[in-house]
Amino acid sequence: ISLAAPLQKFGEAAPEAFKRLAQILTGPAPKKRDNEAKVAMDNCTSALFELARHQLPLCPPEVPAWQIVVSKLPIEDDEDEAKKVHDAVADLLLEQHAGLLGPDQAHLGKVLAALAEVYKNEGLCKEETAAKILRIFQMLPKDNLVKLAGGFSEKQQKKIERMLS
């Protein structure tokens, strides 16, 4: 699905793909020790991300695609998908993509937390992506960051402080 999502012809299958991926991603989480299931879940997240990015007009109204994707970030078990998705998320954030940010930028804190989490983690983030993430945090007004800080873990807060110092 990830590879087909950008193709116009995939539009026919997109509504059903949105529904099925949403069903999987909002279902029970895989067990911590089930690595194959966790990688499969990451692949589903990546597929829904690409669908939302390229076929959103065909998304059924009952499927909150961007909300589901944001809730599953960061991707941590499939390193190849993680690098691709985190790079694309950084790009969309730099473009201030309305879907990714959500209504009234409701998803911004969660997206920033995910990017802080993967920053300079070689398995989950390419060097170019880390540079984009740094630029994102440097561009953010300090008061916005302070408002969002409550949603960051202690580890994420420390990474952000290091980025900005």
Side-chain angles (χ1 to χ4, degrees):
I1 293 174
S2 291
L3 297 175
L7 305 175
Q8 189 174 357
K9 284 196 175 237
F10 189 71
E12 296 170 27
E16 187 61 27
F18 273 112
K19 287 179 190 171
R20 290 186 186 206
L21 288 169
Q23 185 179 12
I24 292 166
L25 290 169
T26 57
K31 295 191 175 13
K32 287 190 188 274
R33 294 182 186 203
D34 191 347
N35 289 332
E36 281 184 26
K38 291 191 309 186
V39 167
M41 192 65 85
D42 281 355
N43 274 271
C44 288
T45 302
S46 176
L48 187 60
F49 172 80
E50 291 299 332
L51 265 178
R53 190 172 167 199
H54 298 288
Q55 301 282 353
L56 195 62
L58 300 173
C59 182
E62 70 273 12
V63 177
W66 282 114
Q67 184 179 338
I68 294 168
V69 167
V70 169
S71 75
K72 298 297 179 183
L73 294 176
I75 290 177
E76 298 177 302
D77 295 293
D78 185 329
E79 291 185 354
D80 292 334
E81 290 302 315
K83 289 175 185 174
K84 284 188 267 183
V85 169
H86 298 143
D87 189 58
V89 166
D91 286 337
L92 292 180
L93 198 54
L94 285 166
E95 295 167 14
Q96 298 189 7
H97 187 276
L100 177 66
L101 290 171
D104 297 324
Q105 297 192 342
H107 303 156
L108 180 61
K110 176 74 174 109
V111 173
L112 290 173
L115 291 178
E117 189 75 31
V118 301
Y119 178 71
K120 293 229 173 169
N121 179 333
E122 288 180 18
L124 306 177
C125 175
K126 299 181 280 191
E127 271 186 52
E128 312 87 75
T129 307
K132 291 175 191 175
I133 293 170
L134 179 60
R135 199 164 84 229
I136 288 166
F137 279 97
Q138 289 172 336
M139 287 170 41
L140 275 174
K142 292 271 192 261
D143 56 327
N144 284 17
L145 213 45
V146 170
K147 284 182 204 164
L148 297 167
F152 301 145
S153 70
E154 196 173 320
K155 177 183 170 186
Q156 292 163 346
Q157 286 180 10
K158 285 181 179 174
K159 274 185 151 181
I160 293 166
E161 286 171 18
R162 281 196 301 270
M163 275 187 244
L164 298 175
S165 60

